[in-house]
Amino acid sequence: MIDCIELKQTMEDHDKAFVEVSFLLDMFVDTIEVFVGKSTPSLAVAAGRKMAKNMPIYLDEPNGALALSEMVRVFSEGFDVTGALQGKEATITIDHCPINAVCRERNLPLDGAACQMFHYYIAGIMAELTGSPARPTTVEAGDTCIFKLAFSGLKA
């Protein structure tokens, strides 16, 4: 019989892992800011575009509403996320945002670099799925995170 250690994890193990992942994410974001500087949003968008190509989503033709629906479907397996598209703007809401939890653990500012990088990452995913560049704008940062994506060339 195979001994599976992941089946024997305690809450203390999960707490330690969360602290470690929070530290690593903090260092990752800080390092990217130092080395990439003002191009950090472009890097996050590029990472999102690459991720979109690996997501279990296939669209015959770029479609904003369907792309948003599919992105929400995939992310809702780990996040409490909803999205709505009105014209050329999507509003995305994440309840109990895990990036917020990391920010609180590391005493990072809400809507700071980690949040912004995550929003640009999502913008990259949506840009790839819709075929239209998207720019994020934070509406609310906290236990519930709300941000908008403005698409520049989205076809109705």
Side-chain angles (χ1 to χ4, degrees):
M1 186 165 121
I2 297 174
D3 186 23
C4 295
I5 190 168
E6 58 272 359
L7 298 177
K8 298 177 184 175
Q9 300 299 304
T10 65
M11 281 308 293
E12 182 181 355
D13 294 327
H14 287 278
D15 290 342
K16 288 179 182 177
F18 173 72
V19 169
E20 180 68 15
V21 168
S22 296
F23 167 76
L24 293 172
L25 185 61
D26 182 9
M27 294 304 102
F28 178 69
V29 168
D30 189 50
T31 301
I32 287 173
E33 282 190 306
V34 168
F35 285 100
V36 181
K38 294 183 185 225
S39 296
T40 298
S42 297
L43 179 68
V45 168
R49 283 182 173 274
K50 182 152 179 82
M51 180 57 161
K53 293 176 183 175
N54 294 303
M55 294 175 84
I57 297 173
Y58 175 77
L59 303 174
D60 287 327
E61 299 229 359
N63 175 305
L66 187 55
L68 181 60
S69 172
E70 285 296 292
M71 189 276 298
V72 165
R73 177 187 62 81
V74 170
F75 271 87
S76 66
E77 292 179 19
F79 295 83
D80 185 4
V81 60
T82 59
L85 183 69
Q86 290 184 315
K88 293 186 176 189
E89 187 173 81
T91 302
I92 298 172
T93 303
I94 302 173
D95 198 25
H96 297 88
C97 179
I99 302 299
N100 175 21
V102 168
C103 290
R104 289 178 193 258
E105 170 64 30
R106 299 292 302 164
N107 294 315
L108 301 172
L110 292 180
D111 198 30
C115 294
Q116 291 301 312
M117 189 173 287
F118 182 64
H119 296 169
Y120 275 98
Y121 175 73
I122 297 294
I125 290 172
M126 288 300 295
E128 186 66 26
L129 293 175
T130 62
S132 175
R135 177 167 297 280
T137 304
T138 303
V139 175
E140 179 180 329
D143 290 333
T144 298
C145 177
I146 302 171
F147 61 99
K148 293 183 181 283
L149 297 178
F151 296 94
S152 63
L154 191 64
K155 296 176 187 170

